[in-house]
Amino acid sequence: MRRTLTAAVLAATTALTLGTGVASAEWLYEDILVVGIPNVVGMSEQDAVATLESQGIPYTITNKSGSALTVCNVTEQRDKGFRTEIRPEWDSWDQEWDFVEYKIWRGLGLTVVCN
C-alpha cells in the first residue's frame, strides 16, 4: 500500500549551518509554504542569512559572483522545490508494511552579487 502524507505541521528541526550558506534542516509537509517565506531580494547577504536562519528556513547560496571582500547583496531567490522520500511504516491493523511518501522541502536558492 502506498499513500502520500501532507499536513500543515512544521517539522521541529533546527537549522544548522554547514559551511557557507547551506542550512541542513529539511522541512516535511508541502503545506509549509502557506506560512509564508520572506522576500530577501535586495538585502545584504548577511541580513538575508540572518533573516532566513531566524525563521529556520533552509537555504543555499547557489550562485555568488564578484569579490567577496566587497558589499554583497541578494539579487534573486528561488524555491528549490521538493524531493520525495519513501519510508516504510508498520500497519499493525493490517499486519503489513505501508510505504508512505514524504515530501521534503529543499528550501530556497539565493543568487548573490558582490560589488
Side-chain angles (χ1 to χ4, degrees), residues 10-63:
L10 294 175
T13 55
T14 303
L16 300 174
T17 303
L18 302 175
T20 56
V22 178
S24 67
E26 293 179 333
W27 286 18
L28 297 173
Y29 313 114
E30 187 171 352
D31 295 334
I32 189 65
L33 295 178
V34 174
V35 173
I37 303 300
N39 184 4
V40 296
V41 174
M43 291 184 181
S44 70
E45 180 183 8
Q46 291 177 338
D47 290 342
V49 167
T51 300
L52 295 174
E53 286 181 349
S54 71
Q55 295 184 21
I57 297 173
Y59 67 92
T60 304
I61 296 177
T62 55
N63 189 3

Side-chain angles (χ1 to χ4, degrees), residues 74-93:
V74 177
T75 58
E76 183 179 358
Q77 78 181 36
R78 290 187 177 200
D79 184 350
K80 291 175 56 181
F82 294 87
R83 68 180 171 84
T84 302
E85 192 172 286
I86 299 174
R87 300 179 189 164
E89 292 183 1
W90 180 250
D91 184 354
S92 60
W93 183 259

